[in-house]
Amino acid sequence: MFICLCGTVFAGQSSIALPSFDVASVKTIRNPPNYGVRVISLRSSLSHGTLNFEGLTLTNLILQAYDVQRSQVTGCPSWCDSEFFDVVGKAADPNATPDQIRLMLQTLLVERFKLLVHRENRDVPGYALVVSKRGSKLKAAKENEVIGASLNGYVRTFQKLPVAALVNFLSNSTRQPVIDNTGLKGLFDFSVDLTHPENDSLQINAAGATPANPGDAFARLSAAVEDQLGLRLEPRKVPVENLIIDHAERSSEN
């Protein structure tokens, strides 16, 4: 199956333009600092209709725009992971939803990076996240909480975020696709503590978990998810919609 996402969605014989930001800015970071470990979330970067990303690669922007996992994206040039950009997008409606903002970000990537992609469906080895027999331990978020995610040593904390945020983290950590089969809806507070007595077999970085011993690292991650969150990773063939990058150019700035 081939779907070209070129700034329009085709329905029948007519084309429907994707929504766009009222005001948008893309700035290339010429001498990027060491950003260190960061947890990136469109929801936590969105405030009153304004999206603000600081120092993201094109790959990370694609992940946010299309709400996909890193393992689903292929074909982007090498600079997609080595060059950094500041992106600000302001919607006309201050109450624009995250889903609406994602579409606007897609439009921005088409306009500024000449991004062309298509999707391909296939079944691949991966994991399904399910609720364990003991039941979920996720806590429902409170209304007045601030959306966000953070990393402190080996503890990754999520606040007022959906299960999808955990799924993305697990996919990045295992380097394989993970699908959400929990059936849990809403926003939650939860954390995953991967502290190891020696702290020598699993290093956490911006891309996820990079194990010195892959088997030990996955066992620790899987056990932490089940013991601390009441969820379980089940290995299985999972249907994955891959995002294939057909074309990308370095950003045209303001």
Side-chain angles (χ1 to χ4, degrees), residues 37-197:
V37 177
R38 296 182 297 165
V39 178
I40 302 165
S41 166
L42 182 142
R43 288 178 178 271
S44 61
S45 302
L46 176 64
S47 177
H48 303 293
T50 297
L51 182 67
N52 191 346
F53 283 135
E54 294 185 0
L56 296 197
T57 63
L58 178 56
T59 296
N60 280 326
L61 290 170
I62 290 170
L63 299 185
Q64 298 302 318
Y66 293 95
D67 197 18
V68 293
Q69 301 165 6
R70 182 64 183 86
S71 60
Q72 293 175 259
V73 179
T74 60
C76 211
S78 60
W79 61 264
C80 292
D81 292 306
S82 61
E83 298 185 13
F84 296 83
F85 307 90
D86 287 346
V87 174
V88 178
K90 183 177 182 179
D93 181 2
N95 298 313
T97 67
D99 287 340
Q100 291 171 327
I101 294 295
R102 288 189 197 280
L103 293 178
M104 296 178 194
L105 183 55
Q106 289 178 25
T107 300
L108 182 65
L109 297 184
V110 170
E111 293 174 346
R112 302 298 178 87
F113 292 90
K114 309 303 180 188
L115 186 69
L116 297 177
V117 308
H118 74 275
R119 298 178 187 266
E120 293 180 358
N121 294 318
R122 63 185 71 168
D123 289 338
V124 298
Y127 299 93
L129 184 67
V130 301
V131 177
S132 70
K133 293 180 180 179
R134 297 181 180 180
S136 168
K137 298 180 181 179
L138 302 186
K139 297 181 180 179
K142 298 179 181 179
E143 185 64 29
N144 61 350
E145 288 181 336
V146 177
I147 297 172
S150 62
L151 181 64
N152 183 11
Y154 288 81
V155 181
R156 191 173 292 249
T157 300
F158 301 81
Q159 185 169 292
K160 201 175 183 180
L161 289 171
V163 174
L166 174 62
V167 167
N168 287 334
F169 163 64
L170 294 174
S171 176
N172 289 335
S173 297
T174 61
R175 304 283 183 172
Q176 288 187 277
V178 177
I179 59 173
D180 177 14
N181 277 6
T182 64
L184 299 173
K185 307 298 181 183
L187 303 176
F188 302 93
D189 295 339
F190 52 93
S191 62
V192 181
D193 185 349
L194 293 173
T195 303
H196 188 275

